[in-house]
Amino acid sequence: MYKQISRRRVLKTILGSASAAAFMSVGGSAFAQAATQSTTAGVAAYAGADRQARLIEGAKKEGNQLTIYTSAPTDDMAIFTGAFEKKYGIKVKLWRSSSENVLQRSVTEGRAGRFDVDIIDTNGPEMESLHREQMLQVVNSPYLADLIKPALLPHGEWVSTRLNVFTQAYNTNLVKPADLPKTYYDLLDPKWKGKLGIEAEDLDWFAGVITELGEAKGLKLFRDIVATNGISVRKGHTLLANLVASGEVPLALTVYNYKVDQLNKKGAPIQWFAIPPAFARPNGIGMLRRAPHPNAAVLYYDFMLSDAQQIMLKLSYVPTSKKADTPLNKIPLKFVDPKVVLDENEKWRTLYEQIITNQSK
């Protein structure tokens, strides 16, 4: 039922169609109205001194259950949910798929009046889509004050728990550190012919880099890189990182830094570096307005902004808490705007396909 399709198609279908607009005006308001009449909003907003005790007691009355839809790696989610279950005795039911499938399933179920999920954990553009569908609930967490400013959205309906930092990665057996490109213009060097790789869906990274370079110059540069050296297009950041580690792709342009660090710790010949400025895509969580287990959902929300931040460090993620220190704090870093994928999707989708996806071999 939830077959995998392109993120760009999902976002366009859900947010760009007449039916989506109709849902926003009719179905979406139904979500909001139902939420204000339920206990969910009250649980999420409560800030009394006995907040923690009330949430724990409320979770018991709910059956100590929690359902999460996520696009995060299964092994990593098992660590987060395992620590949460150990702390609170709440059993977590997990459904994992791609970020576009998480969005599609959540919206499809919501429109059908099926409310099984409590927490969504996925990429920023998909979280922003759920906000626009009026499906998310603001949570008054005391841990919000610990987060960096870019982790907080003006509407407050989802929050970034960690950053997926786009870095470049190279196979240390095939590429010498001294030969690494220092700017994107260095990728025009013929020595990179047949050695470059990129992920198939990273149009928000592309938009950020092109904007940084200057749109006309940036677009010409990437057209020239493709024409001169080619760029191999692969679906999935984990796959791309593994291909770098195996040597099939000597140098990748868009790999998440945490996956490189994880592979490196296992002995793989891979290392990341950053052509400045590096761009980060927020990855976040949100609580559903019609969450069937609101007390457990708020406990998990708090957990991901507190205890889980140190767990993320151990997993080589970039947490958003100001109390967590990572190597990424020391390099120039900019944040991609989830709205780019939503409001300028057609423009950047077309450019990415024309320059990168369709013209690369």
Side-chain angles (χ1 to χ4, degrees), residues 24-332:
M24 291 286 285
S25 63
V26 181
S29 63
F31 269 117
Q33 183 179 6
T36 56
Q37 295 174 350
S38 72
T39 60
T40 305
V43 172
Y46 188 72
D50 62 341
R51 178 177 182 274
Q52 183 82 346
R54 284 180 55 152
L55 291 172
I56 293 173
E57 183 61 28
K60 290 179 180 178
K61 293 178 181 179
E62 295 164 357
N64 276 338
Q65 300 177 58
L66 180 72
T67 299
I68 301 173
Y69 291 173
T70 184
S71 60
T74 302
D75 291 347
D76 294 345
M77 283 302 297
I79 295 174
F80 294 134
T81 58
F84 177 74
E85 289 177 342
K86 182 178 180 180
K87 181 172 184 177
Y88 292 111
I90 296 172
K91 181 64 178 178
V92 177
K93 180 181 178 181
L94 201 66
W95 184 80
R96 193 270 172 193
S97 189
S98 65
S99 57
E100 53 266 27
N101 284 356
V102 168
L103 172 62
Q104 184 183 36
R105 177 170 181 168
S106 302
V107 174
T108 299
E109 291 183 348
R111 291 179 180 178
R114 177 181 171 185
F115 308 110
D116 294 337
V117 61
D118 299 292
I119 291 285
I120 303 293
D121 180 324
T122 192
N123 290 332
E126 284 73 17
M127 295 303 304
E128 190 65 18
S129 297
L130 291 172
H131 154 67
R132 294 186 179 192
E133 292 284 344
Q134 301 183 40
M135 292 179 67
L136 300 178
Q137 172 65 52
V138 175
V139 177
N140 184 22
S141 172
Y143 300 104
L144 294 173
D146 296 334
L147 304 185
I148 60 175
K149 186 176 180 180
L152 304 172
L153 284 298
H155 52 69
E157 290 191 356
W158 65 274
V159 63
S160 176
T161 56
R162 55 196 180 275
L163 304 174
N164 287 330
V165 180
F166 292 106
T167 60
Q168 291 67 55
Y170 66 101
N171 183 290
T172 56
N173 291 335
L174 301 177
V175 179
K176 298 178 181 178
D179 293 334
L180 293 174
K182 294 180 173 58
T183 71
Y184 288 104
Y185 286 93
D186 292 340
L187 296 174
L188 289 170
D189 193 312
K191 70 182 178 183
W192 298 117
K193 188 174 184 64
K195 297 181 178 180
L196 302 177
I198 199 167
E199 207 281 328
E201 298 285 339
D202 287 337
L203 67 92
D204 48 352
W205 167 86
F206 185 70
V209 171
I210 296 301
T211 301
E212 185 72 17
L213 293 171
E215 188 166 324
K217 292 181 180 179
L219 293 175
K220 182 180 185 304
L221 171 61
F222 274 86
R223 288 190 177 100
D224 291 344
I225 292 171
V226 170
T228 302
N229 294 323
I231 302 179
S232 176
V233 179
R234 307 302 176 107
K235 172 63 175 174
H237 297 95
T238 297
L239 171 63
L240 185 56
N242 283 324
L243 292 176
V244 173
S246 71
E248 185 172 336
V249 177
L251 190 147
L253 300 183
T254 55
V255 172
Y256 292 151
N257 73 291
Y258 78 87
K259 181 53 64 176
V260 175
D261 284 341
Q262 289 176 353
L263 291 171
N264 183 271
K265 288 177 181 178
K266 295 178 181 179
I270 186 173
Q271 186 59 266
W272 65 265
F273 70 104
I275 297 176
F279 284 86
R281 174 193 286 161
N283 190 296
I285 62 170
M287 173 182 171
L288 275 292
R289 291 193 178 189
R290 295 294 299 270
H293 311 105
N295 288 277
V298 173
L299 283 172
Y300 187 81
Y301 193 100
D302 286 353
F303 176 82
M304 290 302 291
L305 302 185
S306 54
D307 300 35
Q309 295 289 297
Q310 294 303 317
I311 297 175
M312 290 176 196
L313 278 180
K314 295 177 182 178
L315 295 174
S316 299
Y317 283 101
V318 181
T320 54
S321 173
K322 290 178 286 189
K323 297 180 179 181
D325 186 32
T326 80
L328 275 302
N329 293 342
K330 301 174 178 61
I331 67 172

